[in-house]
Amino acid sequence: MQLRFPLAEEPDEISRETGRKLFAGEVDFLKGVVAMSGLPADDRIEVCFAGRSNVGKSSLINAVTGRKALARASNTPGRTQEINYFTLGDERYIVDLPGYGYANAPVQVVEKWQALLKQYLSGRASLRRAFVLVDSRHGIKPVDEEIMTLLDKSAVTFQVVLTKADKIKPSHCDSLLAQVRDKLAKHPAAYPELVLTSSEKGDGIATLRSIIAGIS
């Protein structure tokens, strides 16, 4: 019986080199967007990173791009209140979405950027894949499933990326993966592979680069 949602395999040499070359090129901050009217033209492939506040999203983006401070990490969850666009060469965008689930900000501010997040996920024609980040220490939580359900309804393929894998014991890994697979089985838009990463140790970074390079 084939395992549902297996861990993505290590890329072969060609795929690894393709991913390395893509991210060794130009990666630049383009703009921060606070309303749908501010989005750049949807004239190139884009992938986005979404996740609960404090899931390690900024650290992962910095690790994947090989830039230490491209995405601004903060000790204050919920600091990122914009959709941040980065150019990846001449043919792709990387999009850093506002963290969801918790924010140290006024309720009206939170509601405004959560609404923007949902508008973007349901209405961006050039969005090829959403990477939904899940903290390895906690697994999929109800707030993650809300975003996954939105992606289902919007027919946007999403792939779960488990972050902070270095923070869990090997003995905990099997139960974590079982929980994630059980939850994902209910979501038709879920891409059938998981990526296990550690921004600190570099685990899974080459795999994620090669995945992004292969999206067309």
Side-chain angles (χ1 to χ4, degrees), residues 2-9 129 157-160 181 184-185 187-195 211:
Q2 187 174 6
L3 180 65
R4 294 197 70 183
F5 302 103
L7 289 174
E9 294 182 359
R129 191 172 304 176
T157 300
F158 70 87
Q159 185 165 9
V160 165
R181 286 166 178 148
L184 289 182
H187 294 282
Y191 190 82
E193 280 186 345
L194 308 174
V195 186
I211 289 171

Side-chain angles (χ1 to χ4, degrees), residues 188-203:
Y191 190 82
E193 280 186 345
L194 308 174
V195 186
L196 192 64
T197 67
S198 166
S199 300
E200 188 171 319
K201 303 292 186 182
D203 298 342

Side-chain angles (χ1 to χ4, degrees), residues 5 50-52 55 100 132-149 152 158-163 172-173 175-187 190-191 193-195:
F5 302 103
R52 296 195 308 271
V55 75
Y100 55 80
V132 177
L133 276 51
V134 172
D135 192 321
S136 294
R137 298 170 298 179
H138 307 302
I140 292 176
K141 291 195 170 185
V143 69
D144 298 312
E145 291 202 86
E146 289 178 18
I147 295 298
M148 293 173 184
T149 298
D152 291 335
F158 70 87
Q159 185 165 9
V160 165
V161 177
L162 295 158
T163 63
H172 178 61
C173 194
S175 60
L176 162 72
L177 293 174
Q179 190 261 4
V180 170
R181 286 166 178 148
D182 180 64
K183 296 291 186 183
L184 289 182
K186 306 167 188 173
H187 294 282
Y191 190 82
E193 280 186 345
L194 308 174
V195 186

Side-chain angles (χ1 to χ4, degrees), residues 10-79:
E10 285 283 322
D12 58 32
E13 288 187 20
I14 294 175
S15 298
R16 179 184 290 268
E17 182 63 8
T18 300
R20 187 197 68 78
K21 283 184 176 179
L22 176 63
F23 285 93
E26 292 293 324
V27 184
D28 296 301
F29 175 72
L30 178 65
K31 65 188 303 188
V33 177
V34 295
M36 290 292 285
S37 58
L39 295 177
D42 55 355
D43 57 356
R44 61 177 75 183
I45 294 167
E46 61 189 67
V47 298
C48 71
F49 287 80
R52 296 195 308 271
S53 295
N54 214 25
V55 75
K57 181 159 52 65
S58 295
S59 297
L60 184 67
I61 291 174
N62 289 338
V64 169
T65 59
R67 276 72 172 175
K68 292 184 178 180
L70 186 72
R72 292 175 295 177
S74 172
N75 291 325
T76 304
R79 178 185 174 193

